[in-house]
Amino acid sequence: MPANRTVQPASQSPGSGVPVKTAAKLGMVSCPHCATLWEDVKAHDRCRRCGAGLHLRKPDSLRRTWALVIAAYIMYVPANILPVMITVPFLGKEQQDTIMSGIIYFWNSGSWGLALIVFTASFLVPLFKLAVLTQLLIAVQDHSKRHLLLRAKLYRVVAVIGRWSMLDVFVVTLMTGLIQIKGFATVHPGEGIAAFAAVVVLTMLASISFDPRLMWDVTEHEPGRSHESRRGG
Amino acid sequence: MREVPDLIACEECDAVYRRLTLGRSEVAFCRRCGAELERDRRAQRKHVLPLAIAGLCMYLIAHVFPILELELRSGLFSHATLIGSVRSLRGEGMLFVALLVLATTILFPLIQLLALIYLLTFPIRFRRFGHPTTFNLSGRLIQVLRPWVMVEVFLLGVIVAFVKLTSMATVLPGIALWAFGALAFLLTAVFSFDPRCLYISRYGYKKQGK
Ligand SMILES: [Zn+2]
Ligand SMILES: [Zn+2]
């Protein structure tokens, strides 16, 4: 083993897609929390430095991510159809707002900047996340070797932007808390906001449970030995 | 099971590299996928503890005082704290949303700050007696909770709500709004700190000079 252990030093400029040796190939497992590398890891071993469970790849990554993504697609429909906020004025008709009507309201009232921010956070980001995660999952299952660098970047983007979709949940929370004024108006949260919050949580969980190393595993040529058979070994 | 010293694997593509000796604030990247491998955080580390304590103070102010105050022409008046808003969500039967807001803006930031202050004070001074399980759990908790602390998203939500309300009433920013702004800034500064370097110092692992 010492012979094939010679590895390159890390780079001080971002990657250029060059081939390298992987920890899996060298029989090593990296701790997900403290990044210590371990050799001869047996099943159910824990990191001796920080106590985190050691796995060659995130356990059951593809199936878990698929389940979360599909659940998010299902919740996406009520999240966009059902009202997220119901305003009941003292005099006059009650007004129901969906995610989209809230954005249109901002646009029409001249707050274009805010309309764009809310449109991005509440509409584009969830849709982009679902599309990217689905694409990443399909590519891994197809053993695709195309656009690996692009996919690595997309995964990073999805992991970072996911939380910003919570924006509308916080807006509805504040409006509900602030406008409970008898003799003026009351604001009530609609079912849509619960579905929308579920979409945000499910897509965040999905991007956490997806293991980006699976994308790169297909570039390893190991005839007759898939990484599945070495899991936990 | 044996530890492999001096090597590091990319979290995103599993490529293995020799650890570089990083200079001040330098970053090491993966040659294959471009992910960040390691970052030198010695510069930030000195300020982490005072910033975390300042964050705790801002946290208290942010949750005690009202965030927004509303004044109507008819003399009606209303104000909202975050906890009050969460309570009215629960009162409306939105238990899931109420819990989510409670966790991401109230519980998790507090847990993170307390875990960080614990990591930075107790185990270093009493390293020989420090309880390893609590130390490990706090370190992992900080990393696991990181994506779920949403103070800066909440702040943007306050701004959106503010603009929405200006059309119907006079809105005044409360003290807590400024405290939330400061808290969001402090949390970002504090969590540019990586608890990993504590494991390195705890176990006397020195990458300098190798
Ligand atoms: Zn570890
Ligand atoms: Zn990499």
Side-chain angles (χ1 to χ4, degrees), chain B residues 143-162:
Chain B
Q143 271 174 300
V144 170
L145 291 185
R146 193 167 292 185
W148 303 98
V149 172
M150 302 190 183
V151 173
E152 74 279 29
V153 185
F154 175 74
L155 204 60
L156 186 61
V158 178
I159 295 165
V160 173
F162 188 99

Side-chain angles (χ1 to χ4, degrees), chain B residues 10 13 30 33:
Chain B
C10 171
C13 77
C30 172
C33 76

Side-chain angles (χ1 to χ4, degrees), chain A residues 90-91 181-185, chain B residues 70-78 168-170:
Chain A
F90 182 55
L91 301 166
I181 313 167
K182 289 193 180 69
F184 173 63
Chain B
L70 208 64
E71 238 179 66
L72 302 173
R73 268 181 226 102
S74 51
L76 287 166
F77 183 80
S78 171
M168 54 168 102
T170 315

Side-chain angles (χ1 to χ4, degrees), chain A residues 115-162:
Chain A
L116 274 178
I117 290 173
V118 181
F119 179 73
T120 311
S122 309
F123 185 77
L124 286 187
V125 168
L127 210 59
F128 176 76
K129 275 183 79 172
L130 281 171
V132 168
L133 283 168
T134 310
Q135 179 53 44
L136 292 178
L137 284 164
I138 291 173
V140 167
Q141 282 181 331
D142 288 351
H143 303 284
S144 165
K145 288 178 191 173
R146 296 173 57 200
H147 310 304
L148 272 165
L149 268 177
L150 176 69
R151 277 191 271 142
K153 276 181 196 138
L154 283 175
Y155 174 73
R156 246 165 265 154
V157 171
V158 162
V160 169
I161 58 172

Side-chain angles (χ1 to χ4, degrees), chain A residues 11 16 39-40 156 163 178, chain B residues 2 29 31 78 149 152:
Chain A
S11 159
S16 49
E39 258 182 331
D40 297 329
R156 246 165 265 154
R163 50 218 306 281
L178 201 53
Chain B
R2 266 173 323 195
F29 291 101
R31 279 172 192 274
S78 171
V149 172
E152 74 279 29

Side-chain angles (χ1 to χ4, degrees), chain A residues 20-39:
Chain A
V20 284
K21 281 178 185 156
T22 65
K25 217 169 187 177
L26 294 169
M28 298 170 188
V29 179
S30 175
C31 172
H33 283 286
C34 68
T36 310
L37 263 181
W38 299 96
E39 258 182 331

